[in-house]
């Protein structure tokens, strides 16, 4: 990565006061809309916050790019399943935007069980002069109405409204881990541990089960589905990843139930590296198609891999995210960190990939130059326009002045969720309850 990426300028960060941060404030998903004008975050409290990018003004040309709060709404509430005596968390697992068709915006948000379609729209006019009711809303006595009035639209302060348009529920026995909108913009899929369902955006009372890996006897269960995504420009193709480190590509034209995959991507394990933790760390936590649709990116606990869709036997590229943790797997298993699910994202041109790590570090890998950089999202360097310094982790031996020892990493600070603007070098990084937005240095 050239100097441009190394010297990113921080744009702005939305820091909630540490003293008042609760479990509910922890950000659980981050997603740009297809134009990058809006950025949505979901949190463990079931809230969705939408940020809108400032328009460039003539007198302040550098202001372009700042994201300010546009709309906040409660998407999901905590529920209780009385049949199973289970609490259903309100935590937002994923947000996916639909392409904009008119003045309103639409997004899908999901918790463990229910997907909702939200409409976000603006109102800056209100009708006045009703015939059947007074201005304060009281119904008028019809006998007193002697003349017909034509209602007029009067300007008012801009109001942003979020309204739920559809609720897709009761289709998942297990927890939903991902949703993906198809490029026909009519259908989407929702995925849980054992099944994938296909929905029509207009129909809430039925879905089609397209993958079912549930064995007849649950004691024979050996793997679960961890993530799934539609191909960006082939509406019949999708992939799903598993806890065994494999990826299956399915074609919906072949059969209604896609239990038989058309391609199977898996890297054979090196017997010399085999350990007690091999299966846990090979579980794939995220899978993403490149924008071109030619490549797949998968994230497991220690690496990011890029696969060519035409080569199933092994990945095209493998990037070590935090190889220095290989010796720490035992303690990471004891504190449950080994089960953390990190996400990965492509930049707009598929040339750079980004994923998170511990100690509020996130990593970027340039696929062309093979250079990589570790950056930190922290309160200390969150002043606007501050330049991020690359960080290095040292393992044993002498530690240089600017390096951090692997033993002093903070495993409670982890960057699981990141997003990259679809066309510009702007990234959003969620660090626990804080959202950081960074952009390239503008010379």
């Amino acid at each position: 990565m050239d100097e441009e990426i190394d010297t990113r300028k921080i744009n702005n960060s939305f820091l909630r006061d540490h003293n008042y941060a609760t479990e509910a404030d922890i950000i659980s998903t981050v997603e740009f809309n297809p134009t990058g004008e809006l950025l949505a975050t979901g949190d463990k409290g079931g809230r969705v916050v939408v940020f809108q990018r400032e328009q460039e003004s003539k007198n302040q040309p550098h202001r372009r790019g700042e994201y300010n709060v546009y709309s906040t709404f409660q998407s999901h509430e905590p529920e209780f399943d009385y049949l199973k005596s289970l609490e259903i968390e309100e935590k937002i697992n994923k947000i996916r935007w639909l392409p904009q068709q008119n003045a309103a915006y639409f997004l899908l948000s999901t918790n463990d069980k229910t997907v909702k379609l939200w409409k976000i729209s603006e109102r800056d006019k209100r009708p006045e002069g009703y015939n059947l009711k007074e201005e304060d809303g009281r119904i008028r006595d019809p006998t007193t109405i002697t003349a017909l009035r034509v209602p007029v639209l009067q300007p008012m302060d801009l109001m942003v409204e979020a309204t739920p348009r559809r609720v897709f529920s009761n289709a998942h026995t297990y927890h939903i881990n991902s949703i993906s909108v198809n490029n026909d913009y009519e259908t989407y899929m929702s995925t849980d541990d054992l099944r994938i369902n296909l929905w029509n955006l207009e129909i809430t009372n039925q879905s089609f089960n397209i993958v079912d890996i549930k064995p007849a006897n649950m004691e024979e269960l050996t793997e679960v589905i961890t993530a799934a995504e539609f191909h960006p420009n082939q509406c019949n193709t999708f992939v799903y990843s598993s806890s065994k480190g494999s990826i299956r590509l399915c074609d919906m034209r072949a059969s209604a139930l896609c239990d038989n995959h058309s391609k199977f991507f898996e890297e054979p394990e090196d017997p010399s590296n085999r350990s007690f933790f091999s299966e846990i760390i090979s579980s794939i936590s995220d899978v993403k198609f490149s924008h071109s649709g030619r490549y797949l990116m998968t994230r497991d606990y220690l690496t990011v891999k890029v696969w060519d869709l035409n080569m199933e036997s092994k990945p095209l590229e493998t990037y070590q995210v935090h190889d220095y943790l290989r010796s720490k797997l035992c303690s990471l298993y004891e504190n449950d960190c080994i089960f953390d699910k990190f996400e990965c994202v492509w930049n707009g041109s598929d040339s750079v990939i980004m994923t998170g790590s511990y100690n509020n570090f996130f990593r970027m890998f340039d696929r062309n130059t093979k250079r990589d950089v570790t950056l930190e999202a922290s309160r200390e360097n969150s002043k606007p326009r501050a330049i991020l310094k690359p960080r290095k982790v040292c393992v044993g031996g002498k530690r240089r002045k600017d390096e951090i020892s692997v033993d002093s990493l903070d495993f409670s600070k982890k960057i699981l969720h990141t997003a990259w603007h679809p066309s510009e070098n702007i990234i959003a990084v969620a660090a626990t309850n804080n959202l950081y937005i960074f952009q390239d240095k503008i010379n």
Side-chain angles (χ1 to χ4, degrees):
M1 337 256 287
D2 54 15
E3 287 303 298
E4 281 303 297
I5 286 191
D6 282 4
T7 52
R8 296 189 152 255
K9 280 214 171 182
I10 181 162
N11 201 354
N12 38 17
S13 60
F14 300 89
L15 303 166
R16 293 175 178 157
D17 190 334
H18 256 321
N19 305 327
Y20 299 105
T22 62
E23 180 80 3
D25 292 328
I26 294 175
I27 297 173
S28 52
T29 183
V30 188
E31 189 76 10
F32 280 101
N33 79 332
T35 62
E37 286 302 302
L38 299 181
L39 169 69
T41 66
D43 64 25
K44 284 195 172 179
R47 291 182 302 259
V48 172
V49 181
V50 180
F51 299 92
Q52 186 182 41
R53 194 173 184 190
E54 288 269 317
Q55 292 303 315
E56 190 171 336
S57 59
K58 286 196 173 71
N59 46 1
Q60 289 178 304
H62 68 278
R63 289 281 297 196
R64 172 93 175 116
E66 294 209 351
Y67 284 80
N68 294 318
V69 176
Y70 177 61
S71 173
T72 304
F73 57 93
Q74 188 72 31
S75 174
H76 288 69
E77 301 280 356
E79 295 170 56
F80 193 79
D81 184 338
Y82 290 98
L83 284 174
K84 296 201 180 78
S85 294
L86 279 176
E87 284 184 41
I88 300 170
E89 285 186 354
E90 65 272 41
K91 172 189 164 210
I92 309 290
N93 291 343
K94 283 282 185 290
I95 289 172
R96 288 290 178 265
W97 290 91
L98 273 66
Q100 194 177 354
Q101 310 281 356
N102 51 30
Y105 302 96
F106 288 87
L107 64 81
L108 288 167
S109 64
T110 183
N111 68 348
D112 285 342
K113 298 286 179 188
T114 305
V115 184
K116 293 184 180 180
L117 175 68
W118 289 88
K119 177 186 182 183
I120 301 166
S121 53
E122 294 181 358
R123 268 224 325 240
D124 58 356
K125 293 184 175 67
R126 65 168 184 270
E128 281 182 6
Y130 293 102
N131 287 297
L132 299 178
K133 59 182 179 183
E134 304 288 354
E135 292 308 324
D136 59 5
R138 285 175 304 162
I139 301 294
R140 289 170 68 183
D141 178 6
T143 56
T144 64
I145 300 172
T146 55
L148 279 178
R149 291 192 288 178
V150 178
V152 290
L153 289 172
Q154 297 289 2
M156 59 178 249
D157 288 340
L158 181 69
M159 232 173 78
V160 180
E161 292 178 312
T163 46
R165 297 307 298 268
R166 309 260 188 286
V167 178
F168 306 88
S169 55
N170 305 326
H172 285 278
T173 312
Y174 308 96
H175 291 174
I176 299 173
N177 55 44
S178 52
I179 49 178
S180 178
V181 180
N182 201 345
N183 74 331
D184 61 7
Y185 309 138
E186 289 178 14
T187 55
Y188 77 92
M189 66 181 173
S190 56
T191 309
D192 67 25
D193 293 342
L194 299 179
R195 295 195 177 103
I196 301 177
N197 291 334
L198 181 70
W199 300 83
N200 187 302
L201 283 161
E202 300 294 325
I203 300 166
T204 58
N205 59 359
Q206 64 174 356
S207 63
F208 297 98
N209 182 225
I210 53 174
V211 172
D212 186 349
I213 65 164
K214 185 182 178 183
N217 177 6
M218 281 297 270
E219 287 177 4
E220 295 167 4
L221 182 69
T222 57
E223 64 179 335
V224 293
I225 301 170
T226 54
E229 193 181 54
F230 270 118
H231 192 285
N233 40 39
Q234 293 171 10
C235 62
N236 53 283
T237 310
F238 66 93
V239 291
Y240 68 91
S241 59
S242 89
S243 56
K244 275 194 159 176
S246 58
I247 310 109
R248 291 168 175 84
L249 181 95
C250 302
D251 187 340
M252 291 191 290
R253 295 171 302 187
S255 67
L257 193 62
C258 301
D259 284 356
N260 294 327
H261 49 264
S262 47
K263 288 192 177 181
F264 182 79
F265 302 86
E266 188 175 46
E267 185 168 30
E269 192 188 13
D270 179 0
S272 62
N273 280 343
R274 178 135 191 89
S275 74
F276 170 75
F277 304 108
S278 295
E279 278 196 16
I280 304 174
I281 63 171
S282 66
S283 174
I284 293 174
S285 54
D286 196 15
V287 59
K288 292 268 179 26
F289 274 106
S290 62
H291 294 82
S292 66
R294 170 77 191 270
Y295 303 104
L296 269 177
M297 169 165 58
T298 58
R299 169 74 210 258
D300 56 38
Y301 191 65
L302 294 176
T303 65
V304 174
K305 292 173 181 162
V306 175
W307 303 77
D308 188 320
L309 283 195
N310 301 327
M311 186 169 79
E312 298 166 58
S313 56
K314 62 177 198 287
L316 202 62
E317 300 153 23
T318 300
Y319 300 98
Q320 299 296 336
V321 178
H322 36 215
D323 203 44
Y324 47 80
L325 294 184
R326 215 174 269 280
S327 59
K328 293 252 176 286
L329 293 178
C330 209
S331 52
L332 289 163
Y333 179 74
E334 285 165 8
N335 65 14
D336 277 353
C337 283
I338 201 166
F339 301 108
D340 285 334
K341 292 178 166 40
F342 291 96
E343 294 172 8
C344 51
V345 287
W346 301 88
N347 72 340
S349 61
D350 299 333
S351 61
V352 183
I353 53 188
M354 170 173 65
T355 191
S357 179
Y358 293 102
N359 207 65
N360 280 356
F361 288 170
F362 58 96
R363 304 269 285 137
M364 289 183 166
F365 303 95
D366 189 313
R367 297 180 57 213
N368 301 325
T369 62
K370 298 294 181 246
R371 289 177 63 182
D372 63 277
V373 64
T374 303
L375 300 169
E376 181 183 8
S378 71
R379 297 173 78 83
E380 286 67 58
N381 57 19
S382 65
K383 295 175 180 63
R385 321 245 168 265
I387 290 177
L388 288 188
K389 292 188 179 70
R391 303 299 308 259
K392 282 199 169 56
V393 178
C394 78
V395 186
K398 288 180 71 176
R399 184 167 68 88
R400 291 211 190 101
K401 181 168 65 79
D402 55 344
E403 290 184 336
I404 181 166
S405 158
V406 70
D407 296 314
S408 54
L409 294 173
D410 186 342
F411 291 106
S412 66
K413 295 179 175 175
K414 51 192 91 166
I415 291 181
L416 303 174
H417 314 288
T418 56
W420 202 307
H421 188 288
S423 55
E424 296 179 42
N425 271 338
I426 297 176
I427 56 171
V429 175
T432 327
N433 59 324
N434 299 321
L435 175 71
Y436 297 88
I437 298 179
F438 303 96
Q439 75 175 47
D440 250 357
K441 188 173 73 168
I442 299 158
N443 296 324

